[in-house]
C-alpha cells in the first residue's frame, strides 16, 4: 500500500504514515524508484493496535 492508502485505512495523513515508517512503528519497503510501500497486514495490525489503545470518550456527569 502507498502512504496515502495506508493513511486512509488508519485515519491519518500520508505524511504521518511516513513518520511512523521512519520511526519504525510501521515497516516499509522501498521500490527501486524510491517509493515507500507498506504491507496491508502491517497497516491492519497498526489499526487494531490504535483502536485497542484508544481511550473511551468521557461521559458527562450523571446526577
Amino acid at each position: 500500500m502507498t502512504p496515502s492508502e495506508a493513511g486512509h485505512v488508519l485515519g491519518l495523513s500520508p505524511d504521518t504514515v511516513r513518520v511512523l515508517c521512519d520511526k519504525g512503528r510501521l515497516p516499509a519497503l522501498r521500490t527501486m524508484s524510491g517509493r515507500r510501500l507498506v504491507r496491508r497486514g502491517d497497516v491492519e495490525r497498526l489499526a487494531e493496535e490504535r483502536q485497542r489503545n484508544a481511550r473511551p470518550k468521557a461521559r458527562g456527569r450523571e446526577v
Side-chain angles (χ1 to χ4, degrees):
M1 299 177 81
T2 66
S4 294
E5 293 167 332
H8 182 74
V9 170
L10 295 167
L12 302 171
S13 73
D15 287 336
T16 302
V17 171
R18 289 182 193 95
V19 169
L20 290 172
C21 293
D22 291 342
K23 290 184 175 185
R25 295 262 339 255
L26 184 61
L29 306 170
R30 291 281 186 154
T31 65
M32 292 293 288
S33 63
R35 285 187 68 174
R36 186 184 325 240
L37 298 175
V38 294
R39 292 184 189 100
R40 180 174 302 277
D42 291 331
V43 172
E44 291 171 353
R45 176 195 50 80
L46 183 59
E48 289 173 8
E49 180 182 312
R50 285 173 42 85
Q51 190 168 17
R52 277 194 312 266
N53 292 334
R55 296 179 184 214
K57 294 182 180 179
R59 290 183 160 174
R61 294 183 75 192
E62 296 180 21
V63 179

